[in-house]
Amino acid sequence: MLYTLLRWFLYSLVILFIAWLIPGISVSGIQSALIAIVIIGLINAILKPLVYLITLPINLLTLGLFSLVINALLFMLAGYLTPGFNVEGFWSALLGSLILSALSVPINKIDGKDV
């Protein structure tokens, strides 16, 4: 439980870092970042598999590069659904989703089994 809360907090810090780094993304505060991570998690758990299934043919044709577009569009959707978390434009969403994916690798390694 403690590690889940720690990962949730670290993801919210990543969202704040992304908003600081990329001009087209803004977060009003830590509360909005915490809510944004919950909404991104729900989108990734519920909507992402369905979208990947629907776009499987184009994803195969582009050798998986279309997944970057899907991630950016889902990141934009999270910005639309979350109060205080704004994503303006596709390129900002693409950069934000790439940074979030890259920084999620070390965060996902936190599981509490090494303690």
Side-chain angles (χ1 to χ4, degrees):
M1 175 72 172
L2 180 64
Y3 295 102
T4 303
L5 292 175
L6 176 64
R7 289 181 5 189
W8 184 34
F9 181 71
L10 289 175
Y11 274 120
S12 66
L13 291 179
V14 168
I15 290 292
L16 290 172
F17 174 71
I18 290 170
W20 174 78
L21 189 63
I22 299 173
I25 298 174
S26 63
V27 179
S28 63
I30 189 74
Q31 296 88 2
S32 296
L34 289 168
I35 294 170
I37 285 302
V38 170
I39 290 178
I40 288 171
L42 288 173
I43 287 172
N44 284 340
I46 298 169
L47 197 57
K48 193 173 186 178
L50 179 65
V51 172
Y52 272 144
L53 184 63
I54 293 170
T55 61
L56 184 62
I58 193 167
N59 211 353
L60 289 173
L61 285 175
T62 61
L63 301 175
L65 289 178
F66 193 69
S67 354
L68 298 174
V69 174
I70 293 170
N71 285 338
L73 292 175
L74 294 177
F75 196 77
M76 286 178 70
L77 177 64
Y80 177 76
L81 295 175
T82 308
F85 176 59
N86 298 317
V87 180
E88 299 173 8
F90 175 78
W91 295 110
S92 297
L94 181 64
L95 285 173
S97 67
L98 286 173
I99 293 171
L100 181 63
S101 296
L103 293 178
S104 69
V105 172
I107 294 175
N108 285 335
K109 298 232 182 234
I110 299 172
D111 59 359
K113 294 178 184 172
D114 297 335
V115 177

